[in-house]
């Protein structure tokens, strides 16, 4: 049942925001902002982001005759100086052979390229700077020209791939090679060469917005997309990874162009449904950026079979590398289009039960990322209809969320708090405070959530403090028999609110002071 007879202070009144801010004061397009924010900074963990963005190629592509570099061949730190010396010598040998002619000369050129490539592949920190200073890049561009043998093209592209995996200035040294790398993505090149060039382009795109814009201006998007449509798994996987680096924003122009390319959505659904987990992972990252940056893409994806495929992957897999982008993509779709909750996740449908089960699975995960993203996705579902709120409330999700609110890391607590808050309210008029679902509020308070919300009030994060104050208002206004203020007082809620008595943020100051005056004024306790 809902109870909205006691109006809250004006500062707490808010319309339902789509989807996550039903209990929050007006915030413009916050869900979309969150999706864009996640796309631009896919994780705060710099190490994880760099590992995903750039990859040194140490093993040959599928179909190549080259032997993989063995672990025993890897160079250790005390051999670094020797490695650098041999790298400089290899570049000199490449220079010497490049002017030779004849059959034997071609063999020497290939051997010189292979020697350089092996040196650039045999260290955790390849001797990229030495190779660049010795003049390797112009030579490699020369061997990347059409007319070189396929072996030479492949070796040159492989060298450039590993150089592109270096530091920012080292990656920028590849600017002269970009037109040829892009050209070799086309049908005139073999699949092996095209795939290796896609890998190099992925490393360049992973460096930052300036190089991404250069690649886009030079026409890399469409040929990379064509490769992603390939039936060869390794080619599609490499192209999808490179494509996700190319489109990851913050400018939505590339994703809006990508979603228009014929066959893209069908290829995404094919690979989400049938591909191995490595390919599905890279395709899921493409979905993450599409759904984060393009409203048109969100609409098309939601109205396809893709949401069901994401949910199926989320429920079936235990592979964290796959689960992270699948869950983030699903969260973006839930936040980005009301149709997703209202028409796809209909309460009573099996797909909705599967979605909830998969999100509960993630709430239980040891992974901080999964717990946070699952809480965010649930907050958007909980901001939907009363039936969606009831579904979450009666599920295992509610005690898990209460536990996260009171014990998890700060960012997870915030997401859990939004979900629990949404479960307790239904929207009223555009200028009225939300109505309270008393049954849900009482159960969540009795489940131990109140200390977690009071802890949020004490937070230095204004958004969290505001959320905590809004929830306290619900408790004091809506807990049966007028017991809300006493509950808040017993948990030191008055002290938490009074920290805003002279706060520099006027809205927070007025909100907190208004609550203290209203519920703990001079008449408080007289009838107890």
């Amino acid at each position: 049942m809902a109870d909205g007879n006691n109006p809250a202070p004006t500062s707490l009144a808010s319309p339902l925001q789509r989807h996550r801010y039903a209990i929050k004061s007006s915030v413009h397009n916050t869900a979309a902002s969150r999706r864009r924010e996640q796309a631009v900074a896919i994780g705060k963990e710099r190490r994880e982001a760099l590992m995903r963005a750039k990859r040194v190629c140490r093993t040959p592509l599928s179909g190549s005759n080259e032997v993989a570099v063995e672990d025993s061949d890897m160079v250790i730190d005390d051999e670094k100086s020797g490695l650098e010396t041999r790298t400089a010598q290899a570049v000199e040998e490449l220079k010497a052979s490049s002017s030779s002619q004849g059959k034997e000369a071609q063999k020497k050129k290939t051997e010189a390229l292979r020697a350089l490539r092996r040196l650039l592949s045999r260290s955790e920190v390849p001797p990229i700077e030495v190779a660049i200073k010795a003049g390797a890049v112009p030579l490699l561009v020369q061997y990347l020209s059409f007319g070189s043998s396929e072996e030479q093209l492949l070796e040159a592209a492989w060298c450039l791939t590993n150089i592109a995996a270096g530091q920012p200035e080292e990656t920028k040294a590849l600017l002269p090679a970009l037109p040829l790398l892009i050209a070799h993505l086309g049908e005139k090149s073999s699949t092996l060469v095209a795939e290796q060039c896609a890998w190099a382009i992925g490393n360049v795109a992973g460096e930052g917005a300036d190089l991404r814009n250069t690649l886009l201006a030079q026409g890399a998007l469409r040929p990379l997309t064509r490769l992603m449509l390939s039936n060869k798994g390794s080619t599609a996987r490499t192209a999808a990874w490179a494509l996700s680096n190319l489109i990851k924003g913050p400018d939505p122009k590339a994703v809006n162009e990508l979603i228009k390319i014929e066959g893209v959505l069908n290829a995404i659904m094919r690979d989400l449904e049938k591909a191995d987990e490595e390919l599905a992972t890279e395709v899921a990252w493409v979905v993450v950026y599409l759904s984060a940056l393009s409203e048109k893409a969100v609409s098309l994806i939601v109205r396809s079979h893709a949401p069901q495929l994401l949910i199926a992957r989320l429920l079936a897999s235990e592979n964290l590398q796959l689960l992270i982008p699948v869950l983030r993509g699903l969260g973006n779709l839930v936040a980005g289009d009301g149709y997703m909750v209202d028409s796809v996740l209909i309460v009573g449908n099996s797909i909705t039960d599967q979605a909830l089960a998969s999100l509960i699975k993630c709430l239980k995960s040891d992974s901080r990322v999964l717990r946070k993203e699952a809480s965010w996705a649930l907050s958007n579902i909980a901001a939907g209809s009363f039936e969606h709120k009831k579904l979450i409330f009666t599920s295992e999700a509610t005690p898990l969320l209460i536990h996260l609110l009171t014990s998890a890391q700060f960012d997870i607590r915030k997401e859990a708090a939004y979900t629990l808050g949404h479960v307790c309210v239904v929207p009223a008029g555009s200028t009225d405070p939300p109505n309270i679902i008393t049954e849900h509020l009482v159960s969540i308070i009795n489940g131990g959530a109140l200390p977690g919300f009071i802890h949020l009030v004490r937070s230095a994060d204004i958004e969290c403090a505001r959320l905590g104050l809004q929830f306290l208002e619900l408790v004091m206004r809506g807990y049966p028999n007028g017991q809300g203020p006493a509950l808040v007082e017993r948990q030191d809620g008055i002290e938490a609110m009074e920290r805003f008595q002279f706060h520099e943020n006027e809205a927070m100051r007025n909100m907190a002071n208004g609550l203290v005056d209203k519920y703990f004024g001079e008449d408080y306790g007289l009838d107890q």
Side-chain angles (χ1 to χ4, degrees):
M1 61 181 174
D3 176 16
N5 295 327
N6 299 315
T10 305
S11 61
L12 293 174
S14 67
L16 173 66
Q17 301 293 323
R18 191 53 149 179
H19 273 284
R20 70 174 287 181
Y21 290 98
I23 68 170
K24 197 170 181 237
S25 56
S26 182
V27 175
H28 176 67
N29 207 18
T30 308
S33 297
R34 165 68 188 274
R35 288 184 285 119
R36 287 193 294 271
E37 172 189 316
Q38 290 284 14
V40 175
I42 212 59
K44 301 275 185 178
E45 300 83 0
R46 179 70 174 153
R47 178 183 173 88
E48 176 191 346
L50 286 175
M51 287 175 65
R52 167 154 184 84
K54 291 187 171 188
R55 299 172 176 175
V56 174
C57 181
R58 293 196 175 91
T59 58
L61 300 176
S62 175
S64 170
N65 295 323
E66 176 63 26
V67 178
V69 173
E70 300 290 341
D71 289 342
S72 59
D73 293 331
M74 296 298 289
V75 174
I76 57 178
D77 288 343
D78 59 2
E79 297 175 345
K80 182 178 179 182
S81 61
L83 175 65
E84 292 178 345
T85 299
R86 293 198 303 277
T87 300
Q89 291 171 347
V91 175
E92 291 303 317
E93 290 172 9
L94 191 59
K95 286 179 183 177
S97 65
S98 63
S99 59
S100 304
Q101 299 295 326
K103 189 174 182 180
E104 282 299 315
Q106 292 301 318
K107 184 178 179 181
K108 286 184 178 180
K109 291 177 182 179
T110 303
E111 289 174 350
L113 281 166
R114 185 173 292 122
L116 177 60
R117 184 263 299 165
R118 286 175 173 169
L119 290 165
L120 291 169
S121 303
R122 286 186 175 175
S123 172
E124 289 297 330
V125 184
I128 296 170
E129 183 179 5
V130 172
I132 292 173
K133 287 183 177 179
V137 173
L139 291 169
L140 294 170
V141 172
Q142 178 183 329
Y143 283 106
L144 202 61
S145 300
F146 285 90
S148 297
S149 69
E150 180 164 335
E151 272 189 304
Q152 291 173 2
L153 289 170
L154 189 58
E155 294 291 352
W158 193 337
C159 288
L160 290 167
T161 296
N162 288 352
I163 291 173
Q167 298 299 315
E169 291 306 314
E170 295 167 349
T171 305
K172 290 176 184 176
L174 263 67
L175 281 170
L178 298 187
L180 280 171
L181 288 170
I182 294 170
H184 280 295
L185 299 176
E187 296 177 351
K188 292 183 179 180
S189 298
S190 72
T191 301
L192 273 177
V193 170
E195 185 178 334
Q196 191 65 66
C197 289
W199 194 328
I201 288 170
N203 277 343
V204 173
E207 183 50 54
D210 289 344
L211 287 173
R212 285 199 295 273
N213 290 336
T214 299
L215 287 166
L216 289 167
Q218 293 183 3
L221 182 67
R222 285 186 173 270
L224 261 185
T225 304
R226 183 189 68 82
L227 283 181
M228 190 184 75
L229 304 183
S230 171
N231 290 321
K232 183 183 176 185
S234 66
T235 302
R237 182 175 66 247
T238 301
W241 166 74
L243 196 59
S244 69
N245 273 351
L246 188 63
I247 66 173
K248 62 184 178 183
D251 189 341
K253 182 178 179 182
V255 295
N256 284 325
E257 183 178 343
L258 174 62
I259 199 63
K260 295 177 185 176
I261 297 176
E262 184 178 357
V264 166
L265 193 54
N266 287 337
I268 287 172
M269 291 191 291
R270 174 199 69 187
D271 294 335
L272 286 177
E273 182 174 16
K274 298 179 179 179
D276 61 75
E277 289 197 334
E278 287 188 359
L279 175 53
T281 297
E282 302 306 341
V283 170
W285 279 113
V286 174
V287 173
V288 167
Y289 294 118
L290 284 171
S291 58
L293 295 168
S294 169
E295 300 301 326
K296 176 67 173 176
V298 169
S299 179
L300 291 173
I301 293 170
V302 163
R303 286 158 179 78
S304 72
H305 191 52
Q308 289 87 335
L309 298 175
L310 290 170
I311 291 167
R313 285 282 187 177
L314 195 59
L315 196 57
S317 180
E318 298 298 331
N319 183 342
L320 185 62
Q321 298 304 312
L322 173 61
L323 291 176
I324 288 174
V326 166
L327 177 55
R328 189 162 290 166
L330 183 63
N332 285 346
L333 296 179
V334 172
D337 194 326
Y339 181 88
M340 179 68 183
V341 173
D342 298 336
S343 302
V344 177
L345 299 181
I346 299 174
V347 175
N349 283 3
S350 61
I351 187 65
T352 308
D353 294 337
Q354 291 169 9
L356 183 58
S358 68
L359 293 172
I360 289 172
K361 166 188 169 181
C362 293
L363 290 180
K364 295 178 177 179
S365 170
D366 292 334
S367 166
R368 173 183 175 184
V369 175
L370 292 186
R371 295 196 301 273
K372 178 182 176 182
E373 295 295 327
S375 299
W376 180 57
L378 282 166
S379 77
N380 288 301
I381 297 173
S385 69
F386 176 79
E387 287 74 21
H388 287 103
K389 299 172 191 294
K390 187 75 172 178
L391 179 67
I392 293 172
F393 170 72
T394 56
S395 75
E396 191 181 357
T398 297
L400 289 171
L401 289 163
I402 293 172
H403 176 71
L404 292 176
L405 172 66
T406 56
S407 64
Q409 296 94 334
F410 171 76
D411 53 349
I412 300 175
R413 291 185 184 201
K414 180 164 67 172
E415 301 301 340
Y418 272 119
T419 309
L420 293 169
H422 285 323
V423 165
C424 292
V425 296
V426 290
S430 60
T431 60
D432 296 324
N435 292 323
I436 298 170
I437 307 172
T438 306
E439 177 190 359
H440 294 186
L441 178 68
V442 169
S443 178
I444 287 171
I445 293 300
N446 292 346
L450 187 56
F453 280 100
I454 291 175
H455 183 75
L456 290 183
V457 173
R458 295 191 177 97
S459 169
D461 183 287
I462 292 297
E463 180 185 346
C464 284
R466 182 184 293 113
L467 174 59
L469 286 175
Q470 289 168 326
F471 192 84
L472 295 191
E473 187 276 331
L474 296 181
V475 175
M476 293 185 289
R477 171 163 61 97
Y479 202 89
N481 302 318
Q483 292 301 304
L487 289 175
V488 171
E489 182 183 21
R490 282 200 292 270
Q491 297 293 336
D492 293 327
I494 298 176
E495 179 271 330
M497 288 186 283
E498 285 181 339
R499 68 179 286 263
F500 290 100
Q501 186 174 5
F502 303 105
H503 199 274
E504 61 184 11
N505 186 302
E506 182 180 5
M508 295 295 289
R509 185 173 67 246
N510 292 340
M511 186 186 302
N513 290 341
L515 289 175
V516 172
D517 290 345
K518 180 177 177 62
Y519 293 103
F520 302 100
E522 58 185 27
D523 294 332
Y524 175 65
L526 293 181
D527 57 348
Q528 297 183 14

